Amino acid sequence: MTAAATTPDAVIVRTPAEIKRSRYLGITYLFLAVVVLWFFARWSVDLGNFTFKLARPTDPSAPDLTLSAGRVTLIVGVILAAMGGVQLARGFGKMNNLVLAIGLFLFIFAFLGWATAQSSIGAFSMVGMMKTTIVRSVPITLGALAGVMSERVAVINIAIEGQLLGGAFVAVVVASPLTGGEDPTLILGSPIGGWIGVGAAVFAGMLLAWVLAVLSIRYVVDQIIVGVVITIFVTGMTSFLALRWLADNPELNKGPIFKSIGIPLLSDIPFLGPVLFDHNIFVFGSFILVAFLTFLLFRTRWGLRARAVGEHPKAADTLGVNVYRTRYLNVIIGGAVAGFGGAFFTLGSVGRFDENMTNGRGFIGLAAMIFGRWHPVGAMAAGLVFGFADAMSQTLGILQTGIPSEFLGMVPFIATILVVAGLVGKARPPAADGQPYIKQ
Amino acid sequence: MTEPQLPPETPAEDNESAEPESRWTAFMNDLTGVNVDWRSALLVPVLAIIAALAVSVVIIVVSDIELWREFSLSALGDAIGQAGSAMWALFTGSFGSLAAVSSTLAFSAPLILAGLSVAIGFKAGLFNIGAEGQMLMGGMAAVALGITIDIPVFLNVPLAVIGAMIGGGIWGGIAGLLRARTGAHEVITTIMLNSIAGLAVIWMLSTDFFQPEGRQDPVSEDIAVSARLPRLLGFLDRNDLRVHFGIVVALLAAYAIYWVLFKSTIGFEFRAVGFNPDAAHYAGMKVTWLYVSVMGLAGGLAGIAGMTQINGLLYRASPGFAAGIGFDAISLALLGRSHPAGVVAAGFLFGALRAGGLDMQVATDVPIDLIGVIQALVVVFIAAPALIRAIFRVKTGEEIGQLTTGWGT
């Protein structure tokens, strides 16, 4: 390795695992190229053009993107084939993941182009899909952030699903009676009762995180089991209370829905404006939290100490860091983030609670945390990937590709499996992850 | 990783207990022929169940909405009364009559099988959260056989068992293979496979193969009568005695798993991998193959559980036919300390909760979802005996310790 590092034109030394992965990637590109050329390009020749709409009627105007389906699929197929060839011949070295991202992007672009051209509509709203991507990514990103906070101090948090569900329930149950049909004081365009509901959801998330912390730190119970049991408990409890309270009292299940806020000037940018800068507080909140937690973990002394606790608690303890207090604090901060994400399901989107409405989003968040390599920014990027998978399956449903909607619904789950199976290479968790610390 | 602790002791190996044998223990040992320290084996589970039921009473009282609207002593009395009758209904609905016992046993069959599925995973250090999806796949395999093949019952039922085992086994084996070959953690992959299986079932039930002619809703044709698991109390000719042959299958499976785990070489290897995968590897065991076969076996057991739902109870598939049993199985395996005998006992208890829960919901309007809460609480108390010690001020045995492994391995 040192020889390769010092001599500029030396052949890059690759480990057997890298060579194997490179081979898999190369075969994948060739396979995708065959799919694009054989299925899409062949059929697309007589399909004519497809149109991606970059603005909806109410958005700042932007031109439509109209391309010939035949040409696009042909070009993409050829590029993918070339990428496969290069990958097999010598690999892309450090650019591997970037190239993989480009390859997948091209494939999806060609796929969507083909799907649009073959549908009777012939056009679909790219703005809508991108906006949906962002919105759908929010609970996954927030769940992943909760995981990052807790696992950076070496406490495995599988209770994210339970924290999201608990937050969703508490938010609507607190906010509904407070707003009850009236038009009360507004803060940032939303009723004050809604804000109190969000606060209650955050508190509920913290409470559940505290239970996780006590059981796994003080009582040294297996952390994965604690997490699963908390999720089972919250699922049972919210369903129980939903039947006991909400079924006969619909007024308790009618929360305010937070309105979108357009950021002045920025939301007037064509395409990007509506996609990025015209959302409700949950979306902006997740952007802000990603930035804030990144700063907290990687730019402050406190963050350094927290990470030390996650990597080598004994060393941290020796240097005077209070391991237990750090763990409690981080896990509970994570719970607050997850509780906020839970409120999104009710107050941020539909305004009412349904049994088990998080539908595994917390577990996908867990995968997003691994995909994002235990880093807040990575967590958001991973969240966006899952959000895109969600949004695309929705779009394809509208375009009527003939693919059964159940298969489209599987896309995010299959993507999760591919991600944890190491499609993007192995990531290293914090060294002490999952291990209880017992002070000598 | 820290050194993983030995998985919970098995009664068969637990005969060198330090405490002097009490008269009761001696009696139980004579009675059962198994040499176990019964006090420590049963104390924590029993106290955990009592504590969980007590907490659930509090939950029923506190969640009474009338109390929140306007507090009065009579409302409080009503709430306590409701909680009391809920507990009573829970009991009578599970043990109060022949029909109740039969219903308890009918619910126990898939619970025991799915519990064995999770338990065998724990023994090998794998956390199988995927029993629900494996049940769905096994059940669908049984449906596919049941609607196409009509041969005498003594052939058709074993065929359904084998088909379900293969269906569920493949679904579980995928998770094992992913763990062994790529390191993808089984907790995440099995949960995702659950969701995928749920969607796959909905899709399958919309195909011409499964759907009866003229139906649009996701439901399958009825399976052949010869594929139905015979009702054990059928000779009494009563409609409400639902206990079927599935409970026999479940008990046989429990004994088979006991034999595999503690008497066979491969069972030794399963436990060795669970104890320390690295050591097992250095001892020459094929860890990849073991992970695949453990998850395949676990999936097969859950698959049979799905089959008992179809062939014993419903006789046709609809999307929710696994009914959350695969998730109850997690709590159940923990309560049974991952030992086949414990799983059977816990399976009867959870079956009783499900049977009694139905009566409770009908009789007192307390939603059946409460039993999920009770189960979760039981596990919390089991997993943290320190809580039990604090509440009841008794001495208890060891903590459960680490059963699973984190992402890093």
Side-chain angles (χ1 to χ4, degrees):
Chain A
M1 286 302 279
T2 40
T6 44
T7 39
D9 54 356
V11 182
I12 301 159
V13 180
R14 296 193 294 172
T15 63
E18 282 167 357
I19 293 171
K20 201 164 128 193
R21 184 167 166 255
S22 191
R23 197 177 298 150
Y24 281 144
L25 283 175
I27 293 167
T28 307
Y29 295 146
L30 290 180
F31 174 73
L32 292 180
V34 169
V35 172
V36 169
L37 292 174
W38 190 258
F39 289 101
F40 305 158
R42 213 169 49 140
W43 293 349
S44 300
V45 179
D46 1 300
L47 283 177
N49 294 342
F50 62 85
T51 303
F52 292 165
K53 294 203 165 108
L54 300 186
R56 294 165 305 174
T58 49
D59 293 332
S61 66
D64 290 345
L65 185 67
T66 302
L67 294 166
S68 151
R71 253 179 251 161
V72 166
T73 46
L74 189 66
I75 293 169
V76 168
V78 170
I79 294 175
L80 281 172
M83 279 165 56
V86 175
Q87 181 81 56
L88 283 179
R90 60 179 190 85
F92 289 99
K94 286 192 168 171
M95 310 279 277
N96 254 344
N97 280 344
L98 182 68
V99 174
L100 175 64
I102 294 171
L104 287 178
F105 172 80
L106 287 174
F107 175 76
I108 288 164
F109 189 78
F111 177 49
L112 280 175
W114 166 78
T116 315
Q118 61 85 44
S119 83
S120 53
I121 315 165
F124 86 97
S125 166
M126 188 58 111
V127 196
M129 187 167 98
M130 286 302 151
K131 219 173 145 72
T132 312
T133 298
I134 304 253
V135 171
R136 294 285 173 96
S137 78
V138 166
I140 297 170
T141 303
L142 290 171
L145 284 180
V148 169
M149 288 313 285
S150 151
E151 301 217 355
R152 278 286 175 178
V153 292
V155 177
I156 291 181
N157 185 359
I158 293 206
I160 300 169
E161 175 83 0
Q163 292 166 343
L164 289 178
L165 195 59
F169 179 81
V170 168
V172 83
V173 168
V174 169
S176 301
L178 287 175
T179 47
E182 311 278 310
D183 197 24
T185 331
L186 298 180
I187 300 177
L188 288 174
S190 299
I192 193 162
W195 290 93
I196 296 173
V198 172
V202 168
F203 180 74
M206 290 165 74
L207 195 67
L208 289 169
W210 174 77
V211 173
L212 170 74
V214 171
L215 286 173
S216 56
I217 300 169
R218 177 145 168 233
Y219 290 105
V220 205
V221 183
D222 188 308
Q223 293 166 5
I224 291 184
I225 288 173
V226 178
V228 170
V229 168
I230 289 178
T231 301
I232 293 175
F233 176 81
V234 175
T235 311
M237 200 67 192
T238 50
S239 304
F240 171 74
L241 292 177
L243 278 172
R244 206 158 153 77
W245 290 351
L246 308 183
D248 296 334
N249 304 283
E251 77 277 4
L252 281 180
N253 198 6
K254 225 170 128 194
I257 300 172
F258 279 79
K259 301 240 159 47
S260 288
I261 309 165
I263 293 182
L265 295 177
L266 287 175
S267 61
D268 295 333
I269 305 170
F271 189 66
L272 287 182
V275 168
L276 288 177
F277 302 111
D278 184 26
H279 285 289
N280 63 23
I281 59 131
F282 291 96
V283 177
F284 294 132
S286 77
F287 292 167
I288 293 166
L289 277 171
V290 167
F292 174 69
L293 294 180
T294 307
F295 175 79
L296 204 61
L297 278 173
F298 296 97
R299 289 283 178 275
T300 64
R301 189 192 299 188
W302 180 85
L304 182 67
R305 287 178 177 169
R307 285 182 292 132
V309 166
E311 295 291 338
H312 201 314
K314 199 168 188 181
D317 195 2
T318 313
L319 292 173
V321 178
N322 187 331
V323 174
Y324 295 129
R325 200 174 63 196
T326 312
R327 286 191 172 174
Y328 271 103
L329 189 64
N330 263 54
V331 172
I332 290 171
I333 292 174
V337 174
F340 177 67
F344 164 84
F345 285 94
T346 44
L347 304 185
S349 75
V350 291
R352 52 169 288 127
F353 180 84
D354 293 304
E355 280 182 40
N356 203 14
M357 70 189 306
T358 48
N359 191 20
R361 289 291 174 275
F363 293 113
I364 295 182
L366 203 64
M369 169 197 76
I370 295 174
F371 191 14
R373 302 180 177 217
W374 288 268
H375 192 291
V377 175
M380 183 164 87
L384 286 170
V385 169
F386 289 117
F388 181 75
D390 234 352
M392 195 173 75
S393 67
Q394 196 187 19
T395 304
L396 291 174
I398 298 167
L399 289 176
Q400 292 175 337
T401 47
I403 305 171
S405 62
E406 291 86 11
F407 287 108
L408 298 174
M410 289 177 194
V411 169
F413 305 122
I414 294 173
T416 305
I417 291 180
L418 291 178
V419 162
V420 292
L423 176 78
V424 284
K426 275 278 164 61
R428 195 186 64 84
D433 207 6
Q435 296 170 23
Y437 179 69
I438 296 155
K439 199 170 166 129
Q440 303 291 314
Chain B
M1 295 300 300
T2 45
E3 288 99 289
Q5 294 168 21
L6 195 65
E9 293 281 306
T10 65
E13 298 164 349
D14 198 15
N15 48 11
E16 280 159 5
S17 174
E19 285 189 30
E21 229 179 44
S22 74
R23 195 186 297 166
W24 191 66
T25 299
F27 169 72
M28 285 299 283
N29 288 348
D30 289 346
L31 188 74
T32 57
V34 187
N35 205 9
V36 184
D37 178 6
W38 286 90
R39 184 179 178 273
S40 79
L42 290 178
L43 187 64
V44 172
V46 168
L47 292 181
I49 293 160
I50 292 171
L53 287 173
V55 174
S56 70
V57 166
V58 174
I59 288 173
I60 295 175
V61 173
V62 172
S63 68
D64 193 316
I65 203 160
E66 299 306 323
L67 276 181
W68 290 82
R69 288 247 166 80
E70 195 179 347
F71 183 83
S72 69
L73 278 181
S74 71
L76 183 66
D78 288 350
I80 295 174
Q82 191 192 23
S85 41
M87 288 299 122
W88 179 244
L90 207 53
F91 176 72
T92 53
S94 51
F95 296 111
S97 65
L98 182 61
V101 173
S102 143
S103 172
T104 294
L105 291 176
F107 279 117
S108 301
L111 281 165
I112 291 172
L113 287 160
L116 289 171
S117 162
V118 180
I120 197 169
F122 278 136
K123 282 287 181 205
L126 295 172
F127 192 177
N128 177 22
I129 309 189
E132 185 86 356
Q134 294 148 12
M135 278 180 72
L136 289 173
M137 284 317 199
M140 288 311 284
V143 174
L145 291 171
I147 60 178
T148 44
I149 297 175
D150 192 0
I151 47 177
V153 63
F154 63 91
L155 291 174
N156 215 356
V157 166
L159 183 72
V161 172
I162 293 167
M165 242 191 128
I166 294 172
I170 291 173
W171 211 241
I174 293 172
L177 189 67
L178 283 166
R179 170 67 193 259
R181 293 299 296 270
T182 69
H185 202 280
E186 74 280 359
V187 164
I188 294 178
T189 54
T190 51
I191 290 170
M192 296 301 133
L193 286 168
N194 283 342
S195 303
I196 294 171
L199 288 164
V201 167
I202 297 175
W203 173 75
M204 281 190 255
L205 293 178
S206 71
T207 56
D208 292 342
F209 179 75
F210 286 104
Q211 212 167 31
E213 263 177 66
R215 290 289 288 262
Q216 291 302 313
D217 48 335
V219 68
S220 79
E221 284 179 49
D222 285 3
I223 58 169
V225 176
S226 63
R228 294 183 181 181
L229 293 169
R231 296 230 163 149
L232 293 185
L233 298 178
F235 59 89
L236 291 177
D237 210 22
R238 269 170 61 179
N239 263 336
D240 57 343
L241 299 179
R242 298 190 304 158
V243 59
H244 53 75
F245 194 68
I247 189 70
V248 179
V249 176
L251 293 176
L252 287 176
Y255 184 76
I257 293 304
Y258 169 77
W259 189 86
V260 167
L261 274 177
F262 299 110
K263 308 284 175 202
S264 74
T265 313
I266 187 143
F268 174 76
E269 294 190 344
F270 285 173
R271 288 181 294 139
V273 163
F275 182 54
N276 188 338
D278 293 329
H281 177 67
Y282 285 118
M285 298 174 193
K286 296 194 178 72
V287 175
T288 304
W289 155 244
L290 283 173
Y291 276 161
V292 177
S293 49
V294 166
M295 287 305 290
L297 184 55
L301 287 163
I304 304 176
M307 186 278 293
T308 64
Q309 281 291 95
I310 297 290
N311 300 38
L313 220 53
L314 307 167
Y315 304 142
R316 60 160 86 162
S318 56
F321 74 83
I325 289 169
F327 295 111
D328 289 4
I330 299 164
S331 317
L332 198 159
L334 290 167
L335 175 60
R337 299 229 158 175
S338 307
H339 189 282
V343 166
V344 169
F348 286 136
L349 176 76
F350 278 31
L353 282 176
R354 277 199 172 235
L358 281 177
D359 271 29
M360 177 183 78
Q361 179 157 342
V362 174
T364 64
D365 265 350
V366 174
I368 192 170
D369 301 84
L370 185 70
I371 66 168
V373 177
I374 297 176
Q375 292 168 358
L377 287 169
V378 169
V379 174
V380 169
F381 289 126
I382 293 275
L387 289 172
I388 288 286
R389 281 198 290 272
I391 297 171
F392 293 98
R393 303 184 182 280
V394 291
K395 272 194 204 167
T396 64
E398 316 254 295
E399 318 277 323
I400 279 193
Q402 301 293 118
L403 282 174
T404 63
T405 52
W407 320 121
T409 46

